[in-house]
Amino acid sequence: MTASIATNQTILVVGGGISGMTAALEAAECGKQVILVEKTPVLGGRTARLYRYFPKMCHPTCGLEINLRRIKQNRNIRLMTMTEVVSATGSRGNYSVTLKVAPRFVNENCTACGKCAEAVSAEVANPWNYGLDKMKAAYLPHNMAHPQRYVIDPSIVGTPEGEKAKAACPVGAVDLEMKEETVTLQVGVLVWATGWRPYDAAKIQPYGYGRFKNVITSLEFERLADPHGPTGGKILRPSDGKEAKNVAFIQCAGSRDENHLRHCSRICCMASLKQTQYVREAFGDEGKSTVYYIDIRAIDRFEDFYQNVQKDATVSFVKSKVARIAENAENGNPILHGVNTEGYQRYAVEHDLVVLAVGMEPEITGVKLPDDVILDSSNFIEGSKDQGMFGAGAAASPLDVNRAVQSATAASLRAIQVIRKTASTEAV
Amino acid sequence: MTTANQAAIERYRNNFLKEVEANVEEGHMVKMCMQCGVCAGSCPLGPHWTHSPQKIFMMIRAGKRDEVLGSDSMFMCTSCYNCMVRCPRQLPITHIMHGLANYAHRLGLAPKGQPTRDFATLFWNNLSKKGRVNELMLTLQHYFRNGLVAGIKEAMAMQGIGLGMFKAKRINPMEIFGGHGVKDLKGFHAIIAKAKEIEDRKKGFTA
Ligand SMILES: Cc1cc2nc3c(=O)[nH]c(=O)nc-3n(C[C@H](O)[C@H](O)[C@H](O)COP(=O)(O)OP(=O)(O)OC[C@H]3O[C@@H](n4cnc5c(N)ncnc54)[C@H](O)[C@@H]3O)c2cc1C
Ligand code: SF4
Ligand code: SF4
Ligand code: SF4
Ligand code: SF4
């Protein structure tokens, strides 16, 4: 099907994370027509899954809420959720984009009353907690979800569980006949705000992620600290549910490594510094964080954040890239082996829990892009040669929220310029 | 007459990194090391020697020529490649370690009486004679390296293994009379001599 809603004056923003929301809003508030496409059922991207965010340690919901309100108020933005861009062809001012729209099985009539969730008993792994717990197969992704509309997991469609959900809905919003659709759009400019994904920690063989239960990623740690997470905000380790008071953070897990990601992911030093404060918040002086690092890169103006953490007596720093992790079979403690570069002492230290500060890689890997798109050596999007496509936020470079927003605003401005030029040539 | 060592000191005065880059196999990669410590922590022999690869690379950059070329570490490397597969900068660590050992050996600076180095020398001398290893002689020479009494003691201790090897025809007692060799012994020696000549020329050793 070809949608007629878009023209070559339309800006297509791919990805509804903080960067995509920003890029869409900046252009829409300047009066441009924007289509915002998001792969998951909700806006917010990865930021929505953080517990707090540096530097001010506020909850991501505050920033999100403002942007969601702006989006709801704006008539120039057309939002498509559960929609994934699978390919794009064409050139500046004239792109043809193929979208795959997955069925939500719930239509616009949904009032988010939650009756369908009460009715079903089937459960699926919860992607918002990185699969650490389960959720009902009829669900609202999280409290802040926009759109506020439930989703029926495809696994129960065609089963009695699906029928239960349908029967429970007082407004007839559950539509189990929905099918996957393919949509082609013509647009003038593309902003890729597709963000990042964590590097697959299991590929870092000597660290034993996947083999040792108490070796987790920094993303999973965010969820452990979050009251909406699988442990209700308690830092409990996976093997035995014991409080993890002695936590090791391993920096550059998969980054700055020719065998994995070549680039420095830039945010993970700050993320670990931040997370040491989760440990302090949970256990006070009884908590203990140890950061194993090559060098601490507190990007840009965050050196003071680093200095404050250094003053915290519960946090210590070991200048060493950990060589390997073993497991104490009796108590499940991971044992870190390596050599401390400051003095060259060999160590073998036990901790309750190990957090791997995994790197960021572009989520775009795998999408078919036009030939003239320029990617850097790590697949981050620089843009197209003809300046008709732009990267924004973490799709363009490993950035924190603040810098992702700056990057998105810049991309949006460039997109507006392209639209203006296209419009003036057409007028001639 | 100036020795190769004196010539090298003269030539690379105060710049040992340059000397290593020019003369040691894969020496140009030494400067890529970021001192992360993974190789040091990964080496199974780490606790048993003075200088881990990480230390050696730092010492090269710090100009510690005597300490590096006199170190026993390069000779302790078993080529397990643990360090090399994990190095985030993909330094060919194992090759550099062997390159350094070779360079120290040629300059006459390698540690004397270092057991793995002695064994390597013994092995090479044995092999290059006939083009085939005379395992019986190699074993005997190795056992008796510290004199008759120590040799007998060591041989007695290893008796079981020795007998097993005889039975399995892994060691032939007749090898005591010189042993077997390659068919074209003259040709073999010519090849070795030529190879040495090329290597000497490439590495700038005229002697
Ligand atoms: C452990 C950790 C902690 C962090 N903590 C902080 C912090 O405290 N403070 C801070 O400032 N930053 C922090 N960051 C960085 C922060 O997560 C990023 O800056 C932020 O997520 C970037 O937003 P984004 O919109 O560019 O990308 P994303 O959040 O990844 O959003 C991209 C969106 O695009 C969608 N998408 C992807 N591909 C497609 C497609 N083909 N079609 C349609 N949609 C698609 C995705 O579903 C997603 O919703 C942290 C990062 C890590 C790893
Ligand atoms: S689908 Fe129906 S039952 Fe479920 S939340 Fe929406 S309105 Fe309520
Ligand atoms: S930000 Fe820190 S942990 Fe992340 S890749 Fe860079 S140096 Fe390593
Ligand atoms: S692992 Fe590589 S980069 Fe790290 S210290 Fe060893 S040689 Fe240097
Ligand atoms: S290859 Fe040599 S230096 Fe490297 S880990 Fe093995 S023994 Fe150690």
Side-chain angles (χ1 to χ4, degrees):
Chain A
M1 130 183 169
T2 302
S4 57
I5 40 158
T7 69
N8 57 7
Q9 309 242 347
T10 306
I11 299 172
L12 179 69
V13 177
V14 190
I18 189 70
S19 305
M21 286 162 70
T22 305
L25 276 167
E26 296 296 345
E29 288 177 357
C30 287
K32 303 294 163 215
Q33 293 302 311
V34 178
I35 296 176
L36 177 57
V37 167
E38 167 56 44
K39 181 166 67 171
T40 69
V42 287
L43 290 176
R46 303 252 174 209
T47 323
R49 293 187 243 178
L50 303 177
Y51 167 40
R52 290 169 181 273
Y53 70 120
F54 64 74
K56 289 196 265 174
M57 302 297 272
C58 35
H59 296 280
T61 39
C62 351
L64 265 182
E65 199 179 348
I66 300 165
N67 283 314
L68 288 177
R69 196 170 330 134
R70 283 165 77 193
I71 287 185
K72 283 178 212 164
Q73 279 166 1
N74 202 300
R75 293 169 159 274
N76 293 335
I77 300 179
R78 207 189 117 103
L79 173 64
M80 299 175 76
T81 52
M82 302 192 72
T83 305
E84 194 175 343
V85 170
V86 286
S87 74
T89 53
S91 60
R92 189 172 116 165
N94 187 17
Y95 288 103
S96 174
V97 182
T98 307
L99 309 171
K100 202 174 72 189
V101 187
R104 183 187 274 264
F105 303 112
V106 174
N107 65 29
E108 292 83 357
N109 299 335
C110 173
T111 57
C113 70
K115 293 221 166 70
C116 53
E118 280 165 31
V120 306
S121 47
E123 291 189 320
V124 290
N126 182 352
W128 281 271
N129 286 332
Y130 293 96
L132 290 172
D133 62 355
K134 298 208 154 180
M135 60 178 187
K136 286 282 181 68
Y139 62 94
L140 188 68
H142 50 78
N143 294 344
M144 289 285 298
H146 177 75
Q148 280 272 323
R149 209 202 299 173
Y150 271 63
V151 186
I152 306 282
D153 193 85
S155 64
I156 62 165
V157 173
T159 73
E161 284 285 302
E163 296 304 327
K164 271 193 224 162
K166 187 173 177 177
C169 183
V171 293
V174 174
D175 174 2
L176 298 171
E177 304 303 314
M178 279 189 190
K179 295 271 172 299
E180 179 185 296
E181 280 180 55
T182 301
V183 181
T184 312
L185 287 183
Q186 307 299 322
V187 297
V189 193
L190 274 163
V191 176
W192 293 98
T194 37
W196 59 281
R197 64 174 163 232
Y199 184 71
D200 179 5
K203 288 188 190 157
I204 317 166
Q205 190 273 341
Y207 290 167
Y209 178 83
R211 277 179 290 142
F212 308 141
K213 281 195 173 144
N214 295 322
V215 176
I216 64 170
T217 68
S218 47
L219 289 334
E220 290 164 344
F221 194 66
E222 289 287 341
R223 302 314 304 145
L224 286 189
D226 194 325
H228 301 295
T231 53
K234 295 209 176 75
I235 301 179
L236 308 176
R237 63 181 201 170
S239 74
D240 48 15
K242 214 183 84 183
E243 286 187 329
K245 292 188 177 172
N246 176 359
V247 182
F249 295 90
I250 297 186
Q251 298 312 109
C252 308
S255 305
R256 295 176 70 187
D257 192 327
E258 295 287 341
N259 303 307
H260 302 286
L261 302 174
R262 307 189 65 210
H263 59 271
C264 163
S265 294
R266 268 214 220 102
I267 52 87
C268 16
C269 276
M270 278 303 293
S272 292
L273 292 174
K274 172 186 75 172
Q275 292 179 345
T276 65
Q277 299 306 298
Y278 297 174
V279 180
R280 162 163 277 285
E281 186 184 61
F283 306 117
D285 288 338
E286 275 180 45
K288 193 168 166 291
S289 300
T290 312
V291 182
Y292 294 84
Y293 69 101
I294 303 176
D295 36 44
I296 295 289
R297 296 182 168 177
I299 40 159
D300 290 4
R301 293 161 289 154
F302 294 145
E303 203 62 24
D304 55 339
F305 194 100
Y306 176 30
Q307 282 163 3
N308 284 334
V309 175
Q310 277 178 310
K311 282 187 211 135
D312 184 341
T314 67
V315 185
S316 47
F317 292 86
V318 180
K319 186 168 172 62
S320 166
K321 185 169 167 77
V322 174
R324 74 186 169 90
I325 297 176
E327 188 181 50
N328 181 336
E330 268 160 39
N331 56 15
N333 283 353
I335 310 167
L336 274 52
H337 290 270
V339 168
N340 186 338
T341 297
E342 289 172 330
Y344 298 107
Q345 300 95 354
R346 217 154 257 289
Y347 58 79
V349 192
E350 274 190 39
H351 294 272
D352 295 338
L353 182 71
V354 172
V355 177
L356 302 178
V358 286
M360 292 162 98
E361 65 179 335
E363 180 75 297
I364 198 68
T365 313
V367 176
K368 190 170 174 337
L369 300 168
D371 294 337
D372 73 336
V373 71
I374 305 164
L375 304 177
D376 73 8
S377 65
S378 299
N379 281 345
F380 288 104
I381 299 176
E382 294 186 351
S384 65
K385 286 197 192 103
D386 67 4
Q387 296 277 300
M389 295 196 296
F390 306 99
S397 181
L399 298 171
D400 64 346
V401 170
N402 188 2
R403 265 140 282 260
V405 168
Q406 287 173 11
S407 151
T409 309
S412 192
L413 197 61
R414 292 203 204 104
I416 292 170
Q417 286 168 341
V418 175
I419 293 293
R420 287 189 51 148
K421 273 188 204 141
T422 324
S424 57
T425 20
E426 277 183 2
V428 175
Chain B
M1 198 190 88
T2 57
T3 63
N5 186 31
Q6 281 162 339
I9 292 174
E10 200 52 47
R11 182 150 177 221
Y12 298 102
R13 207 163 270 286
N14 292 332
N15 198 337
F16 185 43
L17 176 62
K18 232 184 193 161
E19 179 177 346
V20 168
E21 287 178 340
N23 296 289
V24 172
E25 185 184 349
E26 305 273 13
H28 65 283
M29 286 296 283
V30 169
K31 63 172 177 290
M32 294 303 290
C33 170
M34 63 168 161
Q35 290 293 302
C36 71
V38 157
C39 55
S42 301
C43 182
L45 291 167
H48 307 293
W49 63 19
T50 347
H51 305 120
S52 61
Q54 179 192 17
K55 267 195 204 171
I56 291 275
F57 299 156
M58 197 63 215
M59 285 157 68
I60 292 174
R61 290 201 277 196
K64 300 218 176 270
R65 186 175 192 274
D66 297 344
E67 289 88 335
V68 171
L69 294 178
S71 172
D72 68 338
S73 299
M74 298 85 84
F75 300 94
M76 294 289 282
C77 170
T78 57
S79 310
C80 73
Y81 285 82
N82 235 349
C83 54
M84 209 162 134
V85 294
R86 288 186 191 165
C87 172
R89 287 285 175 93
Q90 284 184 350
L91 264 79
I93 303 172
T94 317
H95 305 170
I96 301 174
M97 293 301 270
H98 290 293
L100 281 168
N102 185 275
Y103 188 55
H105 169 77
R106 281 169 167 275
L107 294 182
L109 297 176
K112 308 267 174 313
Q114 203 284 332
T116 46
R117 173 170 180 245
D118 283 354
F119 184 76
T121 315
L122 208 63
F123 187 92
W124 175 249
N125 291 343
N126 179 311
L127 171 75
S128 55
K129 213 175 269 167
K130 293 223 165 154
R132 291 275 188 270
V133 176
N134 183 331
E135 278 169 346
L136 185 70
M137 291 306 287
L138 182 68
T139 317
L140 290 177
Q141 281 166 344
H142 179 57
Y143 285 172
F144 289 91
R145 71 192 180 282
N146 294 327
L148 194 65
V149 184
I152 292 175
K153 262 194 197 155
E154 207 162 325
M156 295 294 283
M158 299 296 282
Q159 218 176 18
I161 295 180
L163 277 173
M165 286 177 79
F166 278 127
K167 276 191 200 145
K169 299 206 166 79
R170 290 290 292 119
I171 285 186
N172 178 357
M174 301 313 278
E175 297 265 290
I176 196 104
F177 304 111
H180 65 304
V182 289
K183 270 186 201 144
D184 178 11
L185 201 56
K186 241 171 121 189
F188 168 72
H189 283 145
I191 291 170
I192 295 289
K194 187 74 189 169
K196 187 172 179 323
E197 186 196 311
I198 295 171
E199 197 189 349
D200 284 348
R201 177 155 33 83
K202 277 194 178 158
K203 293 190 175 166
F205 286 90
T206 34

